[in-house]
Amino acid sequence: MAEVPTRLTSLQNQHIKNVVRLNSRRRRDATRLTLVEGQREIGRALKAGVLPQEAYICPELLVGADAENISAKLLWLAHVGETKLFEVTPPVFEKIAYRGSSGGLLLVIPYLEHSLEALAQLASPFLVVVDGAEKPGNVGAILRTADAAGVDGLFLTAGKGAGTDIHNPNAIRASLGAVFTVPVYAQGAAESITWLRNYGVKIVAATPDAEEVFTKASMIGPIAVVLGSEAFGLSEVWLEAADQQIRIPMFGVVDSLNLSVSAALLLYEVVRQRGIGQKRHLINAAGELLDHD
């Protein structure tokens, strides 16, 4: 039986070369593999049940109890044959790390796959659609907000630009691991619109040209908040499909906010309205109980 973990010291090792190649989207798409770095992100991936194909540990860079717990988990996965575990030197880790300060831990994981069937079972889904986002960091930040706001899923559509690769390591890192807690569906706009209509989800599109301010719109019930890219805005197909168009008021010289900031405002307006609706429901229920007494 091979020693676990396998120690790698050469920058020319084929495993190391393969990891470095995953910096390219073409390579990621061809292998359907991507990278996860950082203790927090890796911890959340493992907690979500993600099984890495390969795991790399640099003992000299590990800091804190969390890192030790993750290392122990990876060692156990390697012993039971669920992953291949490699121990590397600091120079080798520096070679494979997509970004700095990754805490001496890196995973190679399969692409994430989610079924829309789970969303279809929800009585009142809360969704966000990002159409044509160019920057992985923005999508990662939106995922963080989506996780915090209790969003049930994120749809990514290409829009007028190329669209963001959700498996870009920068998107995963910017999400702080929320990509493992909020299901992401990368698909066409037409397919997404058809699904939303079939399941009675209200499509609310954010656009600077809308007349209604977002705080005045009703966001209670099944809803998909749709945002476009900063460069191109929403594509016509989403504007035409929208049940309602809303805007964020702007009082200065700029005509739009950062995409992730806009998403945070709109998603938390849904949270605010749903919270008020829930409180009213509880108050009404309490009143009925008092009447019966």
Side-chain angles (χ1 to χ4, degrees), residues 1-2 18 50 54 70 91 100 103 128 145 154 193 210 212 222 230 253:
M1 181 176 178
N18 290 341
V50 174
E54 296 177 349
I70 290 171
V128 59
T145 301
L154 166 66
I193 290 167
E212 188 165 27
E230 293 176 8
V253 296

Side-chain angles (χ1 to χ4, degrees), residues 34-90:
T34 191
L35 307 176
V36 185
E37 300 178 38
Q39 294 180 19
R40 178 165 38 193
E41 293 81 356
I42 287 175
R44 288 174 179 167
L46 296 175
K47 186 176 181 179
V50 174
L51 291 176
Q53 185 177 98
E54 296 177 349
Y56 295 81
I57 297 175
C58 180
E60 294 88 343
L61 300 178
L62 299 180
V63 178
D66 288 344
E68 294 299 328
N69 290 337
I70 290 171
S71 297
K73 172 71 172 178
L74 293 174
L75 184 61
W76 179 81
L77 289 174
H79 275 300
V80 298
E82 295 287 359
T83 189
K84 297 177 182 177
L85 181 61
F86 301 95
E87 183 181 290
V88 300
T89 62

